[in-house]
Amino acid sequence: MEILLEEFYKTDLHVEKYIQRKVFIDDRSYQISGITKSGKTRLVKNYLLSLKKSSYLYINCNDVRIESEKLNAALPSFCNINKIDTLVLDNYNPTIKFVNVSQLVITSEIPYNFDFLKPLTLYPLDYEEFLAYEHKYDSSALNHFFQLGGLASMHTVAPDERVIYLQNILQFALSEIEFDILCLCAKFMSQKLSAYTLYERLKSTRKISKDRLYASFALLAEKKYIHLLAKYQHTRATKKVYLCDTSLKSALSIEKNFAKLFENMVYLELLKSSAECYYEEGIDFYLPTNDEIILCKPFVDERRLFKKLESIEAFIFSYGITKITVITMNKEGNIAHPLSSVDIIPFDIWALGD
């Protein structure tokens, strides 16, 4: 194992055309979690390249040559002899034991509960980060975002290969049952979906226990391949399901619903802003700390919007809503309402705002 560690130590790391993310790491110890292809490896490698070559050791724990017991026996003395300050365990495997170094960084899909490591979640690119990959910012940028989603690697994949590429990386990253659940979630994107509904759907096509399905559904949410949005003040109510990236919809389902895709895209921007968020009947997103409602209307019609506002007036009055934001594809303006300020904002302006 010492020979393999020596190989890891001497190998030059390479990151081609790294574009800075909104999250970054410094000299503290971290555990970085995120879905496959979210950019965890590129983030840590870019950081390591800012350090002195002899001061760090990068190990990809997915390397099939690694035998955990032998690595655990050899790693402490190797780090001591070579004066390793920073150790990175990419794709961390819990069978590998930590060693005493100044800085430890691990990456994984599942967030582990290590109180001595600062937790950092890396999501796919948001719209502002995505624009850094565009050659120019014009009216086509938003359409590209719909097509490519937030996985940076999609920029290097030919258009005719993107669907199979996404299917392959997801099948590699997930168990068979997790992948089947994710495919169903793609069909129900931006809609209410319970684990029981999934069980009823899947049990007719495969042999599976309810306990296993519920556990796999919860694990997909823990890994953040799906996100579950609760109804306001109704913790037992069925949650709405959103995909980790909008590109998964077309890769896993043939059903088309642009309005639901648009809502999912808005949700992901809210998620990355860490805003406290819920849904309500007839209301896409309710932000209680802002006294704000967000409605997703890609192709808004003012007459229908007035009717929509009338239908949720009781909620607006009861909860003291002072701001209603209507997010569209390209329409902008505001309309008068006796109880709240109603702003109509295109997605790109809203997503790039403060």
Side-chain angles (χ1 to χ4, degrees):
M1 193 54 62
E2 287 83 357
I3 296 174
L4 185 59
L5 285 173
E6 194 68 36
E7 178 184 325
F8 292 154
Y9 185 50
K10 290 182 177 179
T11 299
D12 292 327
L13 300 181
H14 178 69
V15 178
E16 185 176 353
K17 296 180 181 178
Y18 182 76
I19 296 177
Q20 292 294 333
R21 301 291 302 271
K22 287 182 178 178
V23 297
F24 61 91
I25 55 179
D26 50 27
D27 58 0
R28 290 175 288 182
S29 292
Y30 287 88
Q31 65 148 334
I32 305 169
S33 59
I35 68 164
T36 186
K37 300 298 179 180
S38 59
K40 303 183 297 294
T41 297
R42 289 172 64 85
L43 179 67
V44 295
K45 283 186 176 180
N46 183 66
Y47 169 71
L48 291 177
L49 289 173
S50 70
L51 306 178
K52 186 178 178 181
K53 175 73 174 73
S54 60
S55 69
Y56 65 80
L57 176 63
Y58 169 84
I59 300 176
N60 187 338
C61 300
N62 281 343
D63 194 317
V64 297
R65 298 172 296 174
I66 293 175
E67 298 177 51
S68 296
E69 287 188 12
K70 292 181 179 179
L71 180 67
N72 291 335
L75 191 55
S77 60
F78 185 90
C79 290
N80 186 47
I81 292 170
N82 291 281
K83 296 181 172 57
I84 300 298
D85 293 321
T86 300
L87 173 64
V88 171
L89 299 175
D90 199 5
N91 301 303
Y92 169 69
N93 182 336
T95 62
I96 296 175
K97 296 179 181 178
F98 297 146
V99 298
N100 186 21
V101 290
S102 300
Q103 181 184 26
L104 173 66
V105 179
I106 69 171
T107 77
S108 62
E109 288 195 336
I110 299 174
Y112 292 95
N113 186 24
F114 297 125
D115 56 9
F116 56 93
L117 297 177
K118 180 178 174 60
L120 189 157
T121 301
L122 191 63
Y123 294 105
L125 305 172
D126 64 19
Y127 185 58
E128 186 174 2
E129 290 174 319
F130 175 86
L131 290 178
Y133 286 81
E134 291 287 281
H135 297 299
K136 60 180 180 178
Y137 173 49
D138 56 23
S139 58
S140 65
L142 185 55
N143 289 330
H144 289 167
F145 191 47
F146 274 110
Q147 294 168 16
L148 297 178
L151 301 182
S153 58
M154 290 288 280
H155 288 260
T156 63
V157 181
D160 61 328
E161 298 174 0
R162 287 171 186 157
V163 167
I164 299 301
Y165 169 79
L166 276 173
Q167 291 174 0
N168 286 341
I169 64 172
L170 290 169
Q171 286 177 312
F172 179 79
L174 303 173
S175 69
E176 186 179 342
I177 180 61
E178 287 172 341
F179 181 77
D180 287 348
I181 291 172
L182 188 60
C183 289
L184 272 178
C185 288
K187 292 182 179 180
F188 283 91
M189 181 185 69
S190 305
Q191 300 176 62
K192 298 175 190 176
L193 181 65
S194 67
Y196 180 75
T197 300
L198 287 168
Y199 174 69
E200 288 294 303
R201 291 275 185 134
L202 283 178
K203 73 176 184 180
S204 61
T205 59
R206 61 179 300 149
K207 186 177 180 180
I208 185 170
S209 71
K210 188 182 292 186
D211 287 346
R212 187 184 174 202
L213 184 138
Y214 278 44
S216 298
F217 185 57
L219 186 58
L220 267 183
E222 185 182 10
K223 291 178 179 179
K224 296 182 172 57
Y225 281 91
I226 58 173
H227 301 281
L228 303 174
L229 183 66
K231 185 177 182 181
Y232 185 61
Q233 294 184 339
H234 290 79
T235 54
R236 296 174 66 89
T238 304
K239 295 178 174 62
K240 291 177 75 172
V241 65
Y242 295 95
L243 301 179
C244 61
D245 191 69
T246 53
S247 64
L248 272 59
K249 173 66 175 176
S250 58
L252 301 178
S253 170
I254 60 172
E255 297 172 8
K256 305 294 182 184
N257 189 323
F258 185 77
K260 296 298 182 185
L261 186 71
F262 188 77
E263 181 182 331
N264 199 127
M265 192 166 71
V266 171
Y267 173 77
L268 292 176
E269 293 291 327
L270 287 170
L271 177 72
K272 293 162 194 173
S273 72
S274 301
E276 183 185 4
C277 184
Y278 304 91
Y279 81 88
E280 252 300 337
E281 298 303 326
I283 296 169
D284 296 323
F285 306 112
Y286 170 46
L287 284 60
T289 55
N290 298 353
D291 295 322
E292 180 183 6
I293 283 173
I294 291 179
L295 301 176
C296 303
K297 302 290 180 185
F299 308 109
V300 68
D301 173 272
E302 283 196 13
R303 182 177 56 84
R304 291 182 179 179
L305 180 57
F306 273 115
K307 288 186 176 181
K308 178 66 176 178
L309 295 175
E310 284 178 1
S311 71
I312 59 173
E313 226 164 53
F315 185 91
I316 295 170
F317 178 78
S318 298
Y319 290 95
I321 303 302
T322 59
K323 183 178 182 182
I324 299 172
T325 303
V326 183
I327 303 175
T328 70
M329 278 294 291
N330 49 33
K331 192 165 185 177
E332 186 174 6
N334 21 43
I335 61 175
H337 189 275
L339 299 175
S340 303
S341 165
V342 182
D343 295 319
I344 302 171
I345 306 174
F347 174 86
D348 54 355
I349 295 176
W350 174 77
L352 297 176
D354 294 332

